[in-house]
Amino acid sequence: MNDRDRSFAPVERPVALAEQVYHALRDRLRSGAIGPGQALQEVQLAEALGVSRTPVREAMARLATEGLLTSDHRRSFTVPALSRKDVEDIYEVRYLVEPAALRRIAPLTVDVHRRASIDAALCEAIAAHRTGDADAFREAHIRYRNAWLALVPNARL
């Protein structure tokens, strides 16, 4: 590579359409805007989002692998209703796995820059708690959990 070639900056790629659809659907699922038992169909979602069916299909398949949707194998997905036992099982697994994950990132958080997103989310959660804003608290908690999870070197944890 000559000096002239080194003057190029990497080209930024736009976020893939399926990824955008995934985030839009996941956000609506997390907020409760799409509730348990609600059926989601490719055609209607594609029309509502102004995209083709392919990115919708890809996003819903990904959400299904994460357990956020269930498939009836006819291009229709449903938001699963969690029983009390389901929630207890989920939290039991989290209780077993998350402390190990947090132990893995603890040494990394001495660097103020690496933990900045964690600190910011905690500040937002504290502010939301003080004002009694449950929606803002929930969103801050999601940002907090995503921030520390992003530091875990073992993606399976």
Side-chain angles (χ1 to χ4, degrees):
M1 180 185 283
N2 62 39
D3 289 335
R4 192 168 154 190
D5 293 335
R6 290 187 189 139
S7 66
F8 285 106
V11 176
E12 290 196 29
R13 296 181 180 158
V15 177
L17 205 49
E19 185 76 10
Q20 292 178 53
V21 172
Y22 166 81
H23 286 288
L25 291 174
R26 189 186 68 184
D27 291 346
R28 293 186 59 84
L29 288 163
R30 282 184 170 172
S31 72
I34 303 172
Q38 187 170 345
L40 302 175
Q41 295 182 338
E42 279 180 26
V43 174
Q44 289 84 356
L45 279 173
E47 289 174 3
L49 294 168
V51 298
S52 70
R53 290 175 17 205
T54 300
V56 172
R57 184 179 316 121
E58 291 173 11
M60 289 197 305
R62 182 174 168 190
L63 290 163
T65 64
E66 295 173 2
L68 295 174
L69 294 176
T70 56
S71 172
D72 70 1
H73 305 291
R74 290 176 291 169
R75 298 186 194 261
S76 177
F77 289 80
T78 305
V79 180
L82 297 177
S83 68
R84 182 176 180 92
K85 175 75 170 118
D86 292 331
V87 173
E88 289 170 357
D89 289 349
I90 289 166
Y91 277 96
E92 180 180 12
V93 170
R94 285 183 65 182
Y95 178 76
L96 294 170
V97 173
E98 288 184 2
L102 285 165
R103 279 191 296 279
R104 296 284 309 271
I105 69 162
L108 305 175
T109 61
V110 296
D111 179 347
V112 70
H113 299 293
R114 290 194 82 178
R115 76 163 190 269
S117 57
I118 296 171
D119 291 342
L122 284 173
C123 287
E124 293 168 13
I126 291 167
H129 174 69
R130 286 186 179 142
T131 61
D133 187 341
D135 290 335
F137 185 85
R138 184 183 71 248
E139 291 301 317
H141 171 71
I142 291 168
R143 281 190 295 280
Y144 165 76
R145 190 161 185 273
N146 288 341
W148 73 258
L149 281 171
L151 294 177
V152 177
N154 181 339
R156 295 186 190 274
L157 279 177

